[in-house]
Amino acid sequence: MKKQRDVKFIIYQALYIFVVCVVAIKGANLDLSQVIEDDGKPKVILTPEEMDSIKKLLEKAIIVDTNRFALVDKDLLKDNEKMKELVRQTMVSNTSFVSSSPVVETTPIVEKNEKIEKIDPTTEQKIENEIVLGDIELYQYHVNSVSNRGNNPIVVAGVTIPAHSTKQVQLGGESTVTISAGDKSKTVNVKDNSKPKINIQRVSSMGEDARASDLQRSIGFRVTISDDFPEQLDVKFNGPVTIENKGNGVYDVKMNAFGSKSAFDNFIDNKDAPYNVGFTVSVSDRLSGHKITGQQSFQFGEW
């Protein structure tokens, strides 16, 4: 009996070795590592190639912190223009946002139900009647340009200015002007119109050693007249002089007293040197009535 058992054992061992060899030749995995979890579920076993693919996939994945951001379904944006604009502004302002998938990152909306304030009709009427002038400066004795930026006509010093238009308003000596529009009115201060000023500067050398013929060929004086509104001024020169208007209130003055040496000799007869020939400049403002004068003299000692 024992001998028969030994024979059977040897036969079974040979068969086992034969089966293992056949399985190995066929390429079967003979790894004896655990393939089933303790709870009975199949254990997931990944090859190195599969692990590398998963790693690359995770590197490209986008992680969204749902505590800070909200995910919006694209279908919800199709017919909602307000939501589309909100998402667009959020994407533009968030420079760190990068998307390779249809995921939309947006900031939370704090107030979902915004209250739309309606303007009371009485308030609208007040706005409609409001006097809108912008930066306005009014001057005495001047033709002022006044712009009406409101929606109703306004009246300034008897002049009616239609809505959204500009007109010229001439003022006299008023210190204030009342501007009205319907039942509304406002008072505007009027600035003073300053008197003009005359400055006379000597340009050529003069005195006992100066020659009259030289002064008649060159500029003797330069007159400068300054005023807030020079276009309102009338300027006149009196005396034996020639005037050249340089513009911007500047005038060059030459002496023009003698047409010949004999005329010069007649002028200096019974007179002592240095000799003088004077001139006067008069300035008047046509609107304010301001008038000022200035005078100066040429001095010379010989022809």
Side-chain angles (χ1 to χ4, degrees):
M1 292 294 293
K2 182 177 181 184
K3 191 173 183 179
Q4 292 178 352
R5 289 197 298 271
D6 292 339
V7 172
K8 290 180 180 180
F9 177 77
I10 293 171
I11 293 172
Y12 289 147
Q13 287 282 55
L15 290 174
Y16 176 77
I17 294 172
F18 175 77
V19 171
V20 171
C21 291
V22 171
V23 172
I25 292 172
K26 294 294 184 179
N29 187 359
L30 299 179
D31 188 4
L32 298 180
S33 59
Q34 184 178 355
V35 296
I36 298 178
E37 300 287 356
D38 295 337
D39 56 2
K41 296 181 180 179
K43 186 174 182 180
V44 179
I45 301 176
L46 301 176
T47 64
E49 292 78 7
E50 292 172 333
M51 289 294 296
D52 186 59
S53 298
I54 292 176
K55 183 178 179 181
K56 291 180 179 179
L57 181 61
L58 290 175
E59 289 176 353
K60 296 181 180 179
I62 297 176
I63 307 302
V64 178
D65 185 357
T66 56
N67 292 325
R68 295 180 56 203
F69 307 104
L71 301 181
V72 180
D73 191 342
K74 290 179 68 177
D75 293 336
L76 297 178
L77 301 179
K78 290 182 179 179
D79 301 323
N80 193 329
E81 295 298 329
K82 185 176 181 180
M83 182 64 73
K84 281 184 181 179
E85 180 62 17
L86 177 61
V87 172
R88 186 190 68 77
Q89 294 178 1
T90 303
M91 293 178 68
V92 171
S93 62
N94 190 354
T95 56
S96 63
F97 177 77
V98 179
S99 175
S100 59
S101 64
V103 177
V104 178
E105 179 179 339
T106 182
T107 54
I109 301 176
V110 179
E111 297 183 4
K112 295 183 178 179
N113 297 324
E114 297 180 355
K115 294 182 179 179
I116 301 177
E117 297 184 359
K118 294 183 178 180
I119 300 177
D120 184 76
T122 58
T123 303
E124 290 181 347
Q125 186 64 30
K126 291 179 181 178
I127 296 175
E128 183 72 16
N129 292 336
E130 189 68 25
I131 300 174
V132 185
L133 299 173
D135 296 331
I136 182 174
E137 289 186 343
L138 300 178
Y139 287 86
Q140 294 178 339
Y141 306 108
H142 179 61
V143 179
N144 299 272
S145 179
V146 181
S147 296
N148 177 11
R149 301 181 183 179
N151 297 322
N152 285 328
I154 62 174
V155 178
V156 183
V159 178
T160 300
I161 305 176
H164 306 290
S165 62
T166 302
K167 276 194 173 184
Q168 306 300 314
V169 179
Q170 180 173 332
L171 297 180
E174 303 95 325
S175 58
T176 61
V177 169
T178 299
I179 301 174
S180 60
D183 59 347
K184 299 291 182 180
S185 64
K186 66 186 303 183
T187 301
V188 178
N189 292 327
V190 181
K191 296 184 177 181
D192 293 336
N193 185 336
S194 301
K195 288 185 177 182
K197 297 179 181 179
I198 299 175
N199 177 268
I200 302 177
Q201 179 183 6
R202 189 174 66 182
V203 177
S204 298
S205 297
M206 299 182 189
E208 190 171 355
D209 296 332
R211 295 181 178 182
S213 56
D214 291 339
L215 292 179
Q216 295 194 141
R217 290 193 298 265
S218 59
I219 299 172
F221 294 94
R222 175 159 294 167
V223 178
T224 303
I225 300 171
S226 58
D227 189 66
D228 295 334
F229 309 104
E231 69 277 6
Q232 297 180 188
L233 302 181
D234 290 327
V235 180
K236 293 182 180 180
F237 286 85
N238 295 315
V241 292
T242 300
I243 306 299
E244 182 181 359
N245 187 349
K246 308 295 289 187
N248 296 323
V250 178
Y251 302 84
D252 285 343
V253 183
K254 294 180 181 180
M255 186 177 72
N256 187 15
F258 312 108
S260 63
K261 185 177 184 304
S262 59
F264 172 78
D265 292 338
N266 291 332
F267 176 78
I268 65 173
D269 189 28
N270 297 323
K271 295 180 182 177
D272 296 327
Y275 310 110
N276 294 279
V277 172
F279 70 93
T280 302
V281 55
S282 302
V283 179
S284 60
D285 189 317
R286 293 186 298 273
L287 297 183
S288 67
H290 293 154
K291 293 182 179 181
I292 59 172
T293 59
Q295 58 185 11
Q296 193 53 269
S297 297
F298 294 89
Q299 285 189 349
F300 47 90
E302 55 188 39
W303 170 246

